[in-house]
Amino acid sequence: MASTEPWLMENGIVKVLSKEIRHGRTAHNMSSSSLRKKSDLTLVSKIRFPCLRRCLANIQEVILGTKLSVLFPAIPLAIIGQCFGFAEPWVFALSLLGLTPLAERVSFLTEQIAFYTGPTVGGLLNATCGNATELIIAIFALYGRKIDVVKYSLLGSILSNLLLVLGTSLFCGGIANLRKEQKYDRKQADVNSLLLLLALLCHMLPLLFKYAAASSDITAKATLQLSRASSIVMLIGYFAYLVFQLWTHREFFEAQEDDDDVTEETPVIGFWSGFAWLVGMTAIIALLSEFVVGTIEDASNSWGISVSFISIILLPIVGNAAEHAGAIIFAFKNKLDISLGVALGSATQIAVFVVPLCVIISWIMGITMDLNFNLLETGSLALAIIATAFTLQDGTSHYMKGFVLLLCYFVIGACFFVSNRPLDSDPNGVKMGLQSSTGTVFRA
């Protein structure tokens, strides 16, 4: 096979994937791999010059080695549109499309690097880069003082993973396997559910604290301090989760493959090539993320859609389309452990790592960002986590569970579609009291 020819390796050595590493692949990696395709390197192998041969082989594997390669032209078009002053809604749409294959390729490159570093370091790298797109968009939004966009986009990623991705996976898997009982391992789901409930607690307390205190001036400062302390607690919990996932209880999170599906695998690019590609693609993600953040309000005004709907619904769906599609494909194959690992794993990582990390980064940048995600948003998050926890409590699945989760997502999406609150407005907009016919407000 072309993928096993030694000229593909920078060190001249073909490294076969060991059983330990093969069975230690994460659900995130396996989900993304469902959208990859093998490259035909016959013509490239005939090139005489070794450097040119390796370069072209890497380009073919990285750029053309995915079924989403048709979306790569959106990247230069977005850059050209930004440089030559195209309409900003077009720049926004092209940047969003360009992020889709980049997110899948980052997963591919981390898996390639894991061939050389081993499963533990590869797992840490995957945990860091698994939601790189969301983190980079959030950082640029923080830099632009668009705190609402940060909160909306991160909340949307959690909701889409818990309700849309998981719901679609359970629904499609149930329809495709009507005559089979779909089962999954509850151990991983229980751990992720506990961490999501921890994140929910840390989000609800600042919101409740806002109404418990008498003075708004005192409340703002105390809420910010509580949010920063809660963020540190969540980060500690996430690092403990990494130890639990990668060392002490790795078997809970390994994406097991059937023996019939297991093939000997080899890396298709070298370590330093993979590292260089990873750095380059991360830089491109950063550039496109800057375009997305800078043009989202103009796109909202042009399309007549609220920024909250674009950030909570459209950004997560398009930005993580590759990962989501992979989870659904494995659900069709009755491999729900992989689908659950993708949906719950990504939601957990965003809730207890990306969100608190953004609070800490904003603290370092001197920007005020707390964990008060407003009443409507926090309520949606709470109901999504509770609905997911109830859905996964018995270790079995059928299409009705997925259908109900999808209905929950559609209702929440409709809620934010009709909501058109301007950015930086009163975050909660709710007066906790009863109003008489004369206009007097009675508080408890």
Side-chain angles (χ1 to χ4, degrees):
M1 294 177 61
S3 60
T4 60
E5 294 188 19
W7 52 265
L8 282 174
M9 301 297 100
E10 291 181 345
N11 55 6
I13 299 175
V14 176
K15 186 176 181 180
V16 177
L17 186 60
S18 66
K19 181 178 180 180
E20 176 191 4
I21 300 178
R22 181 177 64 232
H23 289 289
R25 295 174 69 191
T26 64
H28 183 276
N29 289 131
M30 292 191 64
S31 173
S32 298
S33 66
S34 62
L35 294 175
R36 296 170 193 164
K37 60 182 181 181
K38 293 184 179 180
S39 301
D40 185 5
L41 301 172
T42 304
L43 294 177
V44 177
S45 62
K46 296 179 180 180
I47 297 178
R48 296 181 179 181
F49 304 102
C51 293
L52 180 60
R53 187 168 60 226
R54 286 195 295 269
C55 180
L56 293 177
N58 284 340
I59 292 175
Q60 186 164 349
E61 290 289 354
V62 176
I63 303 299
L64 301 179
T66 174
K67 298 175 183 177
L68 299 174
S69 58
V70 294
L71 297 178
F72 274 115
I75 299 174
L77 289 177
I79 297 175
I80 292 173
Q82 180 69 16
C83 294
F84 289 92
F86 288 5
E88 294 195 338
W90 281 103
V91 177
F92 176 82
L94 290 171
S95 301
L96 206 54
L97 288 176
L99 288 172
T100 301
L102 289 174
E104 189 275 331
R105 291 288 83 185
V106 167
S107 175
F108 163 75
L109 292 170
T110 56
E111 185 176 347
Q112 291 296 305
I113 294 175
F115 277 89
Y116 302 95
T117 60
T120 300
V121 177
L124 287 172
L125 186 62
N126 181 71
T128 305
C129 300
N131 293 101
T133 303
E134 290 88 344
L135 180 59
I136 294 174
I137 290 177
I139 291 175
F140 275 101
L142 280 176
Y143 183 77
R145 301 298 196 274
K146 298 181 179 181
I147 308 300
D148 285 340
V149 174
V150 178
K151 294 181 177 181
Y152 286 150
S153 62
L154 297 180
L155 172 68
S157 295
I158 299 173
L159 294 178
S160 67
N161 277 291
L162 292 182
L163 300 179
L164 178 63
V165 180
L166 183 59
T168 307
S169 298
L170 297 182
F171 178 75
C172 294
I175 294 295
N177 300 275
L178 277 174
R179 300 185 181 277
K180 298 179 182 178
E181 184 180 17
Q182 289 193 290
K183 295 183 178 180
Y184 52 85
D185 191 353
R186 283 185 51 194
K187 299 184 183 71
Q188 179 184 172
D190 289 343
V191 173
N192 284 297
S193 297
L194 285 173
L195 288 171
L196 287 171
L197 288 173
L198 169 65
L200 177 59
L201 175 66
C202 293
H203 282 82
M204 289 189 66
L205 289 180
L207 177 64
L208 298 175
F209 192 79
K210 178 181 178 63
Y211 296 113
S215 172
S216 59
D217 294 334
I218 299 176
T219 303
K221 183 177 181 180
T223 300
L224 182 60
Q225 293 174 343
L226 175 61
S227 298
R228 290 170 175 174
S230 299
S231 298
I232 295 174
V233 170
M234 282 193 286
L235 289 175
I236 293 173
Y238 179 73
F239 290 129
Y241 170 68
L242 288 182
V243 174
F244 185 85
Q245 179 184 16
L246 299 176
W247 281 283
T248 62
H249 292 72
R250 180 187 294 173
E251 66 277 4
F252 286 7
F253 301 87
E254 289 179 351
Q256 299 292 340
E257 300 173 84
D258 297 334
D259 292 336
D260 296 337
D261 297 335
V262 173
T263 56
E264 295 298 323
E265 300 180 48
T266 58
V268 294
I269 60 176
F271 173 79
W272 289 111
S273 292
F275 183 78
W277 277 106
L278 183 61
V279 172
M281 288 203 168
T282 303
I284 297 175
I285 289 176
L287 180 63
L288 295 183
S289 299
E290 184 179 5
F291 294 167
V292 167
V293 172
T295 57
I296 187 171
E297 293 183 55
D298 291 302
S300 172
N301 296 330
S302 176
W303 297 342
I305 303 176
S306 64
V307 174
S308 61
F309 182 81
I310 293 177
S311 303
I312 294 176
I313 305 299
L314 295 185
L315 276 180
I317 291 178
V318 179
N320 293 317
E323 181 181 338
H324 297 174
I328 297 170
I329 290 172
F330 277 105
F332 269 110
K333 298 178 180 178
N334 200 17
K335 297 180 179 180
L336 285 184
D337 285 324
I338 299 176
S339 299
L340 290 177
V342 171
L344 292 179
S346 294
T348 301
Q349 187 180 51
I350 294 171
V352 298
F353 174 65
V354 179
V355 172
L357 184 62
C358 288
V359 174
I360 300 300
I361 292 176
S362 66
W363 188 6
I364 296 173
M365 297 172 64
I367 300 172
T368 301
M369 175 182 172
D370 55 27
L371 292 176
N372 179 8
F373 274 36
N374 310 341
L375 186 60
L376 177 61
E377 289 80 357
T378 305
S380 300
L381 176 63
L383 294 175
I385 293 176
I386 293 172
T388 302
F390 273 106
T391 300
L392 303 176
Q393 63 181 340
D394 62 351
T396 62
S397 176
H398 46 75
Y399 72 89
M400 193 61 194
K401 289 185 176 181
F403 186 64
V404 172
L405 291 180
L406 285 175
L407 291 180
C408 293
Y409 186 75
F410 292 149
V411 171
I412 292 176
C415 176
F416 287 107
F417 182 79
V418 300
S419 173
N420 197 20
R421 188 180 71 243
L423 294 180
D424 300 323
S425 64
D426 183 13
N428 296 304
V430 176
K431 296 182 179 180
M432 303 297 289
L434 301 175
Q435 187 171 4
S436 69
S437 59
T438 60
T440 305
V441 177
F442 302 96
R443 296 184 180 274

